Amino acid sequence: MNILIFGPPGAGKGTQSVKLVKQHGMSHISTGDLFRNSIANKTSLGLEAKKYMDKGELVPDPVVIGIVEESFEKLKGQGFILDGFPRTVPQAESLEAMLKNHGLTIDQAVFLDVNHSLLLKRLTGRRVCKSCGSVFHVYYQPPQNEGTCDKCGGSLYQREDDKEEVITVRLKAYEKSTNPLREYYQLNKKLVVVNGDGSTEEVFEQIEKILQT
Ligand code: AMP
């Protein structure tokens, strides 16, 4: 099964992808993680992406498509999950072409639908481990010791783009550029809408049901 997960920022794409990878051993590409790794490694691509990410804007399509192309080999041979890519219709069209070149297809495009006020609460409370990247939440999944990762003891931080002023820009970018993907995948008969308002486990159960059909 090859799937992609899309939706507004804070919908739980990353959380659900990690659970799917754990459950099914699928390959996983998260463009957000790829950019954050490039930033941590201070590559020129990372520095370029950071300019947009810190402001809450989308990274330009050619940069995103380039980084996905580089990771494409990873997707061969087993099921995969694309998390946060595509985020625009031109990216979706490029993805079609890349998949075709590699003899691959997407089976389902899972849209995580989440109520607006819940998105704000999820995003502002998110905390990430500087060392291992594990994700916590001040309300929903607080670490045992405030500010410290339960898994590796690393310190937790708030992503620059999870600060309130930046979130507003991200949500606008989502409305303008990513929301049209719903229609794109509906026309392609790949769209599956999942209510993402529930707990991590509830949403995961719904996704699992879909994958089994
Ligand atoms: P995420 O971790 O998926 O929330 O992504 C964090 C940020 O990385 C986004 O707000 C964008 O600035 C950038 N980004 C990640 N994926 C994409 C994409 N497919 N297209 C454009 N920008 C992206």
Side-chain angles (χ1 to χ4, degrees), residues 21 26 28 52-53 57 59 61 115 129 132 150 153 161 166 193:
V21 168
M26 305 155 96
H28 176 209
Y52 299 92
M53 290 169 76
E57 293 169 4
V59 176
D61 288 338
N115 156 314
C129 174
C132 73
D150 290 349
D161 59 347
V166 184
V193 179

Side-chain angles (χ1 to χ4, degrees), residues 99-123:
L99 289 167
K100 208 169 164 199
N101 282 341
H102 289 82
L104 297 167
T105 48
I106 288 287
D107 299 303
Q108 315 256 28
V110 178
F111 174 72
L112 288 182
D113 197 10
V114 176
N115 156 314
H116 187 88
S117 56
L118 199 55
L119 291 176
L120 290 180
K121 191 169 178 188
R122 285 187 183 173
L123 289 165

Side-chain angles (χ1 to χ4, degrees), residues 13 31-33 35-36 52-53 56-59 64 84-87 91 126 159 161 170:
K13 302 181 289 290
T31 40
D33 286 349
F35 288 133
R36 281 184 288 277
Y52 299 92
M53 290 169 76
E57 293 169 4
L58 293 185
V59 176
V64 184
F85 177 85
R87 251 177 166 98
Q91 288 180 22
R126 177 159 63 182
R159 275 171 45 175
D161 59 347
R170 288 171 71 196

Side-chain angles (χ1 to χ4, degrees), residues 1-206:
M1 174 71 81
N2 300 329
I3 63 169
L4 61 88
I5 296 202
F6 72 111
K13 302 181 289 290
T15 305
Q16 296 300 330
S17 300
V18 168
K19 284 182 80 66
L20 285 164
V21 168
K22 214 167 161 190
Q23 183 77 13
H24 301 288
M26 305 155 96
S27 317
H28 176 209
I29 289 185
S30 152
T31 40
D33 286 349
L34 289 174
F35 288 133
R36 281 184 288 277
N37 286 339
S38 303
I39 292 170
N41 294 326
K42 298 191 167 58
T43 66
S44 55
L45 185 135
L47 295 177
E48 172 70 9
K50 190 175 184 326
K51 287 194 274 184
Y52 299 92
M53 290 169 76
D54 283 353
K55 285 189 276 182
E57 293 169 4
L58 293 185
V59 176
D61 288 338
V63 180
V64 184
I65 292 160
I67 203 170
V68 172
E69 259 171 347
E70 281 172 20
S71 319
F72 226 78
E73 283 302 313
K74 205 174 127 182
L75 300 183
K76 282 194 168 168
Q78 53 187 319
F80 64 78
I81 176 159
L82 297 177
D83 155 14
F85 177 85
R87 251 177 166 98
T88 66
V89 171
Q91 288 180 22
E93 288 165 349
S94 296
L95 173 64
E96 286 285 321
M98 283 189 258
L99 289 167
K100 208 169 164 199
N101 282 341
H102 289 82
L104 297 167
T105 48
I106 288 287
D107 299 303
Q108 315 256 28
V110 178
F111 174 72
L112 288 182
D113 197 10
V114 176
N115 156 314
H116 187 88
S117 56
L118 199 55
L119 291 176
L120 290 180
K121 191 169 178 188
R122 285 187 183 173
L123 289 165
T124 50
R126 177 159 63 182
R127 299 291 180 270
V128 184
C129 174
K130 257 185 196 156
S131 308
C132 73
S134 294
V135 180
F136 295 85
H137 196 282
V138 294
Y139 308 109
Y140 304 119
Q141 202 195 335
Q144 280 176 353
N145 298 310
E146 202 187 317
T148 306
C149 176
D150 290 349
K151 293 190 186 141
C152 76
S155 51
L156 303 183
Y157 76 105
Q158 183 176 36
R159 275 171 45 175
E160 207 45 53
D161 59 347
D162 280 345
K163 305 216 161 123
E164 215 157 329
E165 14 1 313
V166 184
I167 290 172
T168 315
V169 181
R170 288 171 71 196
L171 289 170
K172 279 198 185 131
Y174 160 76
E175 279 305 331
K176 179 167 171 261
S177 306
T178 310
N179 203 25
L181 284 179
R182 287 182 73 164
E183 200 184 336
Y184 179 90
Y185 284 113
Q186 180 136 43
L187 289 172
N188 283 0
K189 304 197 173 17
K190 302 271 166 83
L191 181 72
V192 184
V193 179
V194 168
N195 180 345
D197 286 346
S199 68
T200 302
E201 290 307 327
E202 284 162 353
V203 178
F204 186 62
E205 251 176 55
Q206 288 184 66

